[in-house]
Amino acid sequence: MKPLAALAALLCLATPARADGDAAAGAVVFRKCQACHSTEPVNRVGPTLAGIVGRRVASVADYTYSPAMAAFAEGGKVWDEALLAEYLLSPKAMVPGTRMTFAGLRKAQDIADLIAFLKAPPAP
């Protein structure tokens, strides 16, 4: 098991968490992301996160990814919940050289909530 995956698993066991994330709570967590990312199909400093769950890594057509993220995407990786959870724990540890400056989320529940928010259909 990768060290980050082991740490994420340990954090999940050590932190009392709801079985599933809460999208409303995830909207609050997303405030940490919104300076660089959008949930609309619009890129900012970072690529849009609209539809990220289930999307191939580094695949937003009109966004220029760092060489590190492009290399990480090789092999057709997909942003599923497990990969997102590991990445959100420490982006720079998972993808050394990424341009993303965010240090990561330390609480397993915040990660679960954020993923639930990103999976939720857009509000009408």
Side-chain angles (χ1 to χ4, degrees):
M1 181 180 277
K2 292 182 187 177
L4 274 179
L7 179 59
L10 179 62
L11 284 173
C12 288
L13 293 174
T15 306
R18 295 179 292 271
D20 294 318
D22 178 274
V28 174
V29 176
F30 183 76
R31 291 179 189 161
K32 297 177 182 182
C33 313
Q34 67 187 9
C36 298
H37 295 281
S38 169
T39 56
E40 301 297 321
V42 175
N43 295 322
R44 292 189 178 162
V45 172
T48 176
L49 299 182
I52 190 166
V53 179
R55 184 172 75 204
R56 288 178 56 138
V57 173
S59 64
V60 174
D62 58 347
Y63 184 80
T64 304
Y65 292 90
S66 68
M69 185 58 77
F72 177 72
E74 289 178 6
K77 287 183 185 78
V78 172
W79 287 121
D80 61 17
E81 292 179 47
L83 189 62
L84 275 170
E86 187 177 350
Y87 182 72
L88 290 169
L89 185 63
S90 181
K92 288 184 180 248
M94 188 168 186
V95 185
T98 183
R99 289 191 301 244
M100 188 158 147
T101 59
F102 184 66
L105 296 170
R106 297 293 169 236
K107 296 179 183 175
Q109 191 62 57
D110 285 351
I111 292 171
D113 292 343
L114 179 57
I115 291 170
F117 170 71
L118 293 172
K119 285 175 40 179

